[in-house]
Amino acid sequence: MTIYTYIALKDNNETVKGKIEAENIRNARAQIKKLNLLPIKVYEEINLDNKQNALPIIKLRPLTLKEKIDFASTYQTLSGAGVPVVESLLFMEQEAGSARIRNLARELRRHILAGGTFADTIKRYNDIFDPVFVGLTKAGEDSGEMETTMQRIIELLRKQEATRSKVQGALMYPGFVIIIAIVVIIVMLTFVFPKFAEVFVEQGKELPLVTSLCIKAGDFIVEYWYAVILLFIALGFGIYFMFKYPVTRNIIDKYALKLPLIGNLIKYGDFANYLAVLQVAYDAGVPIVNSLTLAGITLTNVLIQAAMNTAKFKVQQGLHLSAALRSTGVLPKMLLFMIQTGEQSGKLGTMLAQAVVFIDKELEKFIETLTKFIEPIMLIVLGGIVLFFALALYLPLFDMITPA
């Protein structure tokens, strides 16, 4: 006898899940029908433990966010058209425009044919599918609403892509200006100042301190250029280490939240992702504690993450969600009010959706304000660099034309 797991409809409107022992899958379906249930999906549990786990996991290249959206969209479209999961993966294996998606579809199909479910299979590729994707997919399978859940996942991925694009767009201008400034400084120090240095030396006058420093810096870069490159590499590794090492990361996250504009951008960026996942997971039927766990995965700031973990622990102890979140002291009052109203009215899912809209608008405002604030700062920085080099070049010239 073999144990089968099934998902079935009760009275044509309620989805139930259970296990049954039978000789084969046909006999299992027959027994399920005798229980006045309509079987939707029946699979052999033993196959998952024996056959699928025996298959090796082939290392695949991670999908980009756009490729993940394409993969989910194609799967959702085919699933909605009634195409079985194996045939859907076969189509993507043969027709997908991305080689990464084709390779992924091939491997997923291989494991599913060995007896695995879609959710359990993608869980094995945790370097491609994050816990949020896997958790929501599992909820969709358990509830029998895979098409709807996959649509929610697609909307969530698109929102993440839009948020990332907004933040990257806000940081692109200062990043470009910094790169240009570094290039200009190197060109001035290594090409311009050496030419003027020859003229200054011929005059035999003592050079101003700022000019002397620029000439020496240029000579150092030309002579020890490899040391400058190593310095930039070491600086990059140092910054990477600071963000990865828990002690320094806690310090950075703590003071980053106190910075004007930057702190609010970090908070609202984290809250936007947190609430979006919480809303999608809750609507997908995931228990509230599990929904909070999935939402917490998206948080990037260590302090906010710790606060939300504390709130989740209080919800586990029986506290209302709004009260638990309020105790953290990090969420805006408007969001807390909306969540509390949703709990009291029994429309938490609706109010979470409204909270997501609100936080997205606030995030857009902060990004717009930050962009406007950065532009004059960059102009001041560039102006300071130009003024510094102008003084370094023209002060000796003024000395030359000034009568002794």
Side-chain angles (χ1 to χ4, degrees):
M1 301 290 282
T2 303
I3 298 176
Y4 292 89
T5 298
Y6 67 86
I7 299 172
L9 280 179
K10 181 179 180 181
D11 299 328
N12 290 325
N13 57 18
E14 181 183 355
T15 303
V16 295
K17 182 180 179 182
K19 296 181 181 181
I20 198 166
E21 192 174 14
E23 295 180 356
N24 52 52
I25 193 168
R26 179 179 297 180
N27 184 259
R29 287 182 175 275
Q31 291 189 45
I32 294 169
K33 289 178 180 179
K34 289 181 180 179
L35 298 173
N36 294 322
L37 300 175
L38 178 62
I40 299 175
K41 188 169 187 178
V42 182
Y43 54 91
E44 184 181 342
E45 193 171 273
I46 294 179
N47 279 346
L48 179 60
D49 294 332
N50 294 337
K51 293 184 179 180
Q52 191 191 16
N53 289 337
L55 293 176
I57 297 293
I58 297 178
K59 185 71 174 179
L60 298 174
R61 295 175 64 190
L63 301 183
T64 64
L65 186 55
K66 183 179 182 305
E67 287 174 332
K68 194 178 293 186
I69 293 173
D70 291 341
F71 174 85
S73 299
T74 304
Y75 181 77
Q76 187 264 341
T77 300
L78 295 175
S79 176
V83 180
V85 59
V86 173
E87 282 77 4
S88 299
L89 293 172
L90 179 61
F91 173 82
M92 285 188 277
E93 180 183 343
Q94 295 174 345
E95 304 297 336
S98 168
R100 297 182 185 183
I101 295 179
R102 292 196 298 269
N103 294 334
L104 174 64
R106 183 187 67 247
E107 293 305 311
L108 293 181
R109 187 172 65 88
R110 186 169 65 96
H111 284 277
I112 290 175
L113 285 174
T117 65
F118 182 74
D120 289 333
T121 301
I122 65 173
K123 184 178 181 179
R124 295 165 66 86
Y125 291 90
N126 53 18
D127 55 339
I128 297 178
F129 299 101
D130 56 51
V132 174
F133 195 108
V134 175
L136 294 177
T137 303
K138 181 67 175 174
E141 277 192 344
D142 292 345
S143 64
E145 298 180 351
M146 177 58 76
E147 181 186 354
T148 303
T149 302
M150 193 57 63
Q151 181 60 42
R152 294 185 178 121
I153 292 174
I154 294 169
E155 293 173 358
L156 185 62
L157 292 174
R158 286 174 177 166
K159 181 182 179 300
Q160 290 176 352
E161 184 181 37
T163 302
R164 181 182 299 180
S165 298
K166 291 175 185 176
V167 175
Q168 288 177 346
L171 299 178
M172 186 176 297
Y173 174 70
F176 178 76
V177 170
I178 290 173
I179 293 174
I180 293 298
I182 292 174
V183 172
V184 169
I185 290 172
I186 292 176
V187 170
M188 290 292 294
L189 294 178
T190 57
F191 292 98
V192 178
F193 274 95
K195 300 296 182 182
F196 278 85
E198 299 175 0
V199 179
F200 297 153
V201 171
E202 291 177 358
Q203 298 298 317
K205 292 186 177 182
E206 183 178 354
L207 296 176
L209 177 62
V210 63
T211 307
S212 178
L213 289 175
C214 289
I215 293 175
K216 291 179 180 179
D219 292 339
F220 179 85
I221 292 175
V222 171
E223 186 172 356
Y224 300 102
W225 56 270
Y226 53 88
V228 176
I229 295 176
L230 291 176
L231 178 63
F232 277 104
I233 294 175
L235 182 63
F237 274 107
I239 295 174
Y240 176 82
F241 176 79
M242 288 174 63
F243 277 92
K244 288 296 181 180
Y245 187 59
V247 176
T248 53
R249 178 62 187 267
N250 287 340
I251 296 174
I252 292 173
D253 284 355
K254 176 182 177 180
Y255 288 99
L257 292 178
K258 297 180 181 181
L259 294 175
L261 293 179
I262 298 293
N264 284 331
L265 180 64
I266 294 172
K267 287 181 183 178
Y268 279 75
D270 265 3
F271 293 152
N273 290 327
Y274 183 87
L275 289 174
V277 173
L278 180 61
Q279 183 254 326
V280 170
Y282 184 80
D283 283 348
V286 179
I288 187 63
V289 174
N290 294 341
S291 297
L292 291 171
T293 300
L294 293 177
I297 296 171
T298 66
L299 297 173
T300 58
N301 186 275
V302 175
L303 272 69
I304 296 178
Q305 192 176 57
M308 294 300 103
N309 285 337
T310 301
K312 182 185 72 173
F313 178 72
K314 292 182 178 180
V315 171
Q316 286 178 311
Q317 292 180 320
L319 196 64
H320 287 293
L321 176 62
S322 57
L325 294 176
R326 188 182 301 276
S327 67
T328 64
V330 295
L331 263 75
K333 293 181 179 179
M334 176 61 76
L335 293 177
L336 294 172
F337 176 75
M338 296 173 76
I339 293 173
Q340 183 179 6
T341 302
E343 284 184 320
Q344 293 174 350
S345 62
K347 298 180 179 179
L348 180 58
T350 302
M351 293 309 296
L352 284 174
Q354 293 297 321
V356 170
V357 174
F358 169 78
I359 202 70
D360 283 344
K361 291 181 179 179
E362 291 298 309
L363 180 61
E364 288 181 4
K365 290 179 183 178
F366 278 114
I367 291 176
E368 184 178 354
T369 303
L370 181 63
T371 303
K372 292 180 179 179
F373 184 74
I374 285 176
E375 290 178 358
I377 291 180
M378 291 295 101
L379 291 176
I380 293 174
V381 171
L382 289 177
I385 293 173
V386 171
L387 177 62
F388 178 81
F389 284 127
L391 290 174
L393 286 174
Y394 287 105
L395 282 178
L397 296 178
F398 291 153
D399 288 342
M400 292 180 191
I401 60 178
T402 300

